[in-house]
Amino acid sequence: MIDPPLIVYPLLTIKPPLSFVLFLTLVLFIKIRELRFRRRGKTKEEYRQFTKTNVNSWHFSVYASIMILITGIIDSVLFVFSAAFDMVLKVGSDMEVTPEFTESMIETSAKGVSGWGIGLHFPMIFIIPVILLFSYTRRHKNEKADLVVPVGGVILAFFVGLEGLHQGILMNIPILMKMLEDMLGTYLLQ
């Protein structure tokens, strides 16, 4: 039984480590950009106005895309080297190396390294085109349109839950019927 101190709980998340690195680089980009803006003699209010512009949104999207690409490549390289290193540590010099053994070692090492969170950040590379098209400062002329997304998400989540309940019942009816049949058979035979 492991009982870590409360201070380390934030570090025990399920997100890949390089996702945290990406998040920190994006936060640093925003903070450093604000500092540079303010050093040029601009005020905090002028910076707030600048953050609402398309130029700021585009620069952030480009920077985020580049950082996603860099952290994704680093993650994939770390995955390959960590899995290879794990395999080297597990294989002894007296073991017979067959293709089947090698395949099972690769699979085992890949699962182990994935358990550490390495190799799980790489698929974020595929969202780069969406990030480049995304403008986090955009506001619709009709403010009610922005409310449609959260309400739609709640409605869709409700339907997914309802479908899950439906599928759960359908999948378990044969099992429940068999259990009921066995129970009735036991009691009626006595």
Side-chain angles (χ1 to χ4, degrees):
M1 171 109 176
I2 298 174
D3 190 19
L6 289 175
I7 192 119
V8 299
Y9 279 1
L11 303 173
L12 301 176
T13 62
I14 58 170
K15 293 290 180 199
L18 280 160
S19 292
F20 285 111
V21 171
L22 173 66
F23 175 74
L24 290 175
T25 59
L26 295 178
V27 169
L28 285 173
F29 172 77
I30 292 169
K31 285 303 187 185
I32 291 171
R33 188 169 199 170
E34 180 181 1
L35 286 173
R36 286 181 181 165
F37 195 86
R38 303 267 320 269
R39 282 185 187 155
R40 291 184 185 140
K42 307 284 184 170
T43 65
K44 196 166 194 131
E45 183 56 38
E46 288 174 317
Y47 179 73
R48 279 194 199 118
Q49 291 300 319
F50 173 71
T51 59
K52 296 176 182 175
T53 64
N54 287 337
V55 170
N56 177 57
S57 180
W58 173 248
H59 288 169
F60 180 79
S61 295
V62 168
Y63 181 79
S65 299
I66 291 169
M67 291 312 299
I68 289 170
L69 181 66
I70 290 170
T71 54
I73 291 170
I74 291 171
D75 188 48
S76 63
V77 169
L78 273 174
F79 177 76
V80 169
F81 282 114
S82 298
F85 185 71
D86 186 52
M87 283 177 38
V88 167
L89 289 178
K90 288 180 181 174
V91 176
S93 60
D94 59 337
M95 297 177 130
E96 182 182 340
V97 179
T98 63
E100 295 83 19
F101 176 75
T102 305
E103 187 176 322
S104 71
M105 285 302 296
I106 291 172
E107 187 177 321
T108 304
S109 293
K111 282 182 183 176
V113 171
S114 292
W116 305 335
I118 298 173
L120 301 177
H121 177 74
F122 178 77
M124 282 189 68
I125 287 177
F126 299 114
I127 67 166
I128 289 175
V130 175
I131 295 293
L132 287 172
L133 294 173
F134 179 71
S135 173
Y136 71 92
T137 59
R138 180 174 178 178
R139 297 279 176 205
H140 291 92
K141 292 177 184 166
N142 182 359
E143 292 290 326
K144 292 180 182 178
D146 288 334
L147 295 174
V148 171
V149 173
V151 171
V154 169
I155 291 170
L156 288 175
F158 173 75
F159 283 127
V160 167
L162 200 61
E163 178 66 19
L165 181 66
H166 173 72
Q167 290 295 323
I169 290 171
L170 283 180
M171 290 173 64
N172 289 316
I173 282 180
I175 297 168
L176 292 172
M177 293 300 289
K178 178 71 174 145
M179 289 172 59
L180 184 63
E181 195 177 281
D182 291 344
M183 187 173 67
L184 286 174
T186 304
Y187 288 119
L188 291 177
L189 292 175
Q190 291 180 351

